[in-house]
Every structure is written in C-alpha cells, then in structure tokens.
Amino acid sequence: MIIKNVNVYGEDQQFTPGEIYIENGLFAENASADEVIDGEGCYAIPGLIDIHFHGCMGHDFCDGTHEAIKAIAEHEASIGVTSICPATMTLPIEELEDILSTAASYDNASGAHLVGVNMEGPFISFSKKGAQNEKYIIPCEESVYRRFQNAANGLVKFIAVAPEMCDTKDFIHAVKDEVTVSLAHTNADYDAAKAAYDNGASHAVHLYNAMPAFTHRAPGVIGAARDTKNCMVELICDGVHIHPSVVRATFEMFGSDRIVMISDSMRATGMPDGRYTLGGLEVDVTGNRAVLVSDGALAGSATNLMDCLRTAVKEMDIPLEKAVACTTINPAKALKIEDKYGSISNGKIANLVLLDKDLNLKKVIING
C-alpha cells in the first residue's frame, strides 16, 4: 500500500509532505503499488493510544466480557484510537482477577489493539477516592499485585498506589522492574510523593485530579512529579477536568515529552445524556460532564481521546505537533511498546490516522 499526498508526522515530531509505504502490515521503506491512496493533503499521524479510560458506547472494561472489550475496541478504532490500555476501578480482588483473566484471553480480532491494563485501584486513599468505591480500597500488597498480574498473564502495565496508605517502599522495590508504579487518588504531600518517586514510581495518574492542589508552599504530588525527571504524567484535556490555562502551564512545566493525554472516558462516551454507572456507582452525564449522583464529584469523562486532542489544539492553544506526540509516541513510551507502536517508522505496526486541515477524521488504518 502507498499513501501519497499527505503531510507525514515524523519521528522529529514535525509534518513533512510525502508518502507512506506499508508492506505486510508494517510501515516500510518501499511497497508494491497494488493499492494507492490519495491522502488529499491530509495530516498523516500514528494511530492514537489511550492508556487510561474505562469504556464507551454503553460498555465498560470492568464488565469483564469479551463482548464488552470488542465493542469498546471497535468504537475506539472508529474514532482513530488504534491501541488501548483500559483502566480498572476499585472492586473486590476476585472480581478484578476475573476481569483481568478475561482481558488476557481476548483475541484482538478486530478494532483497536488491547496492549495493556492500567490498574487505577484498589491501592488508593479514602480521602481522594473520587468515583472509586471505598468499600474495596485496600493497602498495597505485593501478593495481591501478583494475583492481578498472574490473572492478566502480564498484561498489567500500570499499578497505582497512594503512598500515605501504607509503606510503599518495599512494594515499589519489589515490582518496579516489571510494571510501572503510578501515584493516583492520593492525598500524599510533596515529601511522601517524592519518596515514592525516588524509590522507583514513575507515573502520575490524571494530574491535578484526585490529588492535593499544587500551591506555592505545598506542591504535593504535582511538584514531586515535576521534580522527578523520568516521571510521565497523564492529562485529561476534555475541557472539563482542567482549565485551559493550567493545561498550557503544565506543558511549560513538564515539557511535551513527559505528558500523556488520556480520555478517562466512561461507558456514556458516544451515548446520549442520561444516568450510567462507573465502578458500580451511579453517574449522571450531561454533554461531556459526568458526575456522581451521590456527591457531584467528577466521574471520568464522556469525551474520547481524539476529541481531547482536538480540544487541546483548538481551545487550549496546544500546537498540533505537541498534541500528537502526547497521544501517540508518549503513551507508547509509557507502555514500553515504542518499538512497535507510536510513530510512522519503518518496521512498526502500520496503525495510521488521516485528518483533514480541520482535524476531521478521514481514514483509519490498522495493521495496514
């Protein structure tokens, strides 16, 4: 396959007019001309990768069925997200094992590639639980993590902890070489968060949300993440979770190479307004705002990652080149799959999206 007349997003994170060659499902230096696509001057970018979301189109990853995963994967592919790493909720250990076992046996036959699982719970704090069910919150334990990873057959890529809930030092040391340890739903101050990062944690879940505010005398988790050079941070650019000024400031503070845009979308995404559930809790959705019925707390988002990219560019003044990096190569690096995904590079899996000048979706290509 040859895709001609496109502006190709390169490894230098710039657009260059050119052609793309695909052979045997991979990006290549040359390809046979049996199929030629005229890109009509579109932007050609790698397929997007969402490393933190819960569901869409009425389905949730924690439904724990192949049917739910398939429906989610096919919808995500239809809007340009070609690789997914869905997130779990805080649920009973045995239920989480069943969910992970189902994911491990999923065949990736259609839609976006299931490339990992982001475990947002159950090792979180009560005070910053957000939309997580406090009944199932537990301290971090290596033995419980082993149960999760065994059930998932290695598919767990992120495991979240709240440092103030237990002594995380031994836990982090035990697991950091096989999974990325993230800080999430935590009330940790700067010192506790920085100690966790110094011990080997290297990720922050949905920055600014479900953590202490960043202030001039108490920088908290955000300041600790900023001061940890190998730490990557998730950012929800849906126009609801974070003010555009803060998004711009975050790009200045962290640099675009450390930011991973996520959607944090829940099952109402792509569906009409109404009442839905997240982690067993009732959620009211109006437009792209999802809140718990019980207390009005934000409960994930109702915006897909492609729309988050558009919002970041069109409403938050983030350059397209930076926004693309934060939705493609950066999440691939966070997942440690950048050898196969995340850029239009020879030998990588040919997942590709064409966008017109207004960022409207024109074509999605998966596996060539």
Side-chain angles (χ1 to χ4, degrees):
M1 177 189 294
I2 300 174
I3 305 171
K4 65 178 185 178
N5 189 23
V6 285
N7 292 292
V8 183
Y9 187 77
E11 289 189 312
D12 61 354
Q13 298 183 7
Q14 300 297 317
F15 287 99
T16 305
E19 296 181 340
I20 296 172
Y21 303 98
I22 297 173
E23 196 74 50
N24 298 320
L26 305 176
F27 293 118
E29 290 186 8
N30 294 286
S32 60
D34 56 341
E35 183 178 3
V36 178
I37 296 173
D38 185 351
E40 299 177 345
C42 281
Y43 296 116
I45 66 173
L48 272 55
I49 304 172
D50 199 344
I51 70 167
H52 185 154
F53 77 109
H54 299 277
C56 55
M57 297 302 292
H59 300 277
D60 191 295
F61 175 69
C62 285
D63 291 344
T65 67
H66 287 164
E67 292 75 16
I69 298 174
K70 183 174 185 287
I72 291 167
E74 290 181 347
H75 178 72
E76 291 297 315
S78 77
I79 53 92
V81 177
T82 59
S83 301
I84 55 174
C85 175
T88 59
M89 295 296 291
T90 297
L91 297 166
I93 293 173
E94 294 78 11
E95 187 174 344
L96 286 169
E97 286 181 298
D98 288 342
I99 292 165
L100 294 168
S101 178
T102 298
S105 61
Y106 182 66
D107 61 8
N108 268 327
S110 63
H113 297 170
L114 178 65
V115 294
V117 175
N118 189 336
M119 295 208 71
E120 193 175 2
F123 305 146
I124 60 173
S125 76
F126 292 99
S127 62
K128 293 291 184 180
K129 66 181 186 298
Q132 306 279 341
N133 194 328
E134 65 180 11
K135 290 194 300 183
Y136 306 117
I137 293 174
I138 57 175
C140 61
E141 294 182 25
E142 182 187 351
S143 62
V144 176
Y145 160 74
R146 298 287 173 205
R147 289 175 62 178
F148 292 153
Q149 195 65 285
N150 287 338
N153 195 26
L155 198 60
V156 174
K157 301 298 184 182
F158 303 92
I159 186 80
V161 298
E164 74 275 22
M165 290 295 291
C166 55
D167 182 1
T168 56
K169 181 177 180 180
D170 289 343
F171 177 84
I172 294 172
H173 282 177
V175 307
K176 65 182 177 65
D177 292 332
E178 60 189 81
V179 68
T180 296
V181 180
S182 55
L183 270 54
H185 290 270
T186 173
N187 205 32
D189 62 13
Y190 175 90
D191 291 339
K194 191 63 169 67
Y197 285 129
D198 289 345
N199 284 321
S202 58
H203 196 81
V205 170
H206 46 47
L207 201 70
Y208 301 106
N209 294 280
M211 61 181 61
F214 176 69
T215 70
H216 62 299
R217 291 194 182 95
V221 177
I222 298 159
R226 160 62 182 81
D227 290 346
T228 305
K229 300 307 180 185
N230 69 327
C231 178
M232 301 190 81
V233 300
E234 300 175 358
L235 207 61
I236 308 172
C237 296
D238 63 346
V240 174
H241 280 77
I242 307 171
H243 192 280
S245 178
V246 177
V247 171
R248 291 188 289 272
T250 304
F251 271 80
E252 293 290 336
M253 184 164 59
F254 283 87
S256 59
D257 59 328
R258 294 175 57 192
I259 294 172
V260 178
M261 286 191 198
I262 63 167
S263 70
D264 200 17
S265 69
M266 46 88 73
R267 69 170 77 240
T269 305
M271 300 288 286
D273 291 354
R275 182 159 292 184
Y276 298 86
T277 61
L278 179 64
L281 304 178
E282 290 192 322
V283 178
D284 278 339
V285 176
T286 304
N288 65 342
R289 179 180 290 270
V291 299
L292 286 181
V293 173
S294 60
D295 61 9
L298 287 175
S301 87
T303 306
N304 66 62
L305 185 60
M306 184 63 79
D307 281 339
C308 287
L309 181 152
R310 293 187 182 101
T311 298
V313 174
K314 293 185 173 184
E315 300 178 22
M316 298 177 173
D317 297 325
I318 302 301
L320 176 61
E321 292 82 357
K322 291 184 177 181
V324 172
C326 295
T327 52
T328 58
I329 190 60
N330 291 2
K333 289 177 178 177
L335 284 162
K336 298 180 173 61
I337 58 171
E338 70 272 22
D339 60 326
K340 295 182 179 179
Y341 297 88
S343 64
I344 301 172
S345 308
N346 292 340
K348 290 192 179 184
I349 294 171
N351 292 348
L352 180 73
V353 174
L354 299 185
L355 301 174
D356 69 16
K357 296 300 183 181
D358 294 320
L359 305 186
N360 298 309
L361 186 67
K362 304 301 290 185
K363 187 177 286 291
V364 180
I365 295 172
I366 296 180
N367 290 334

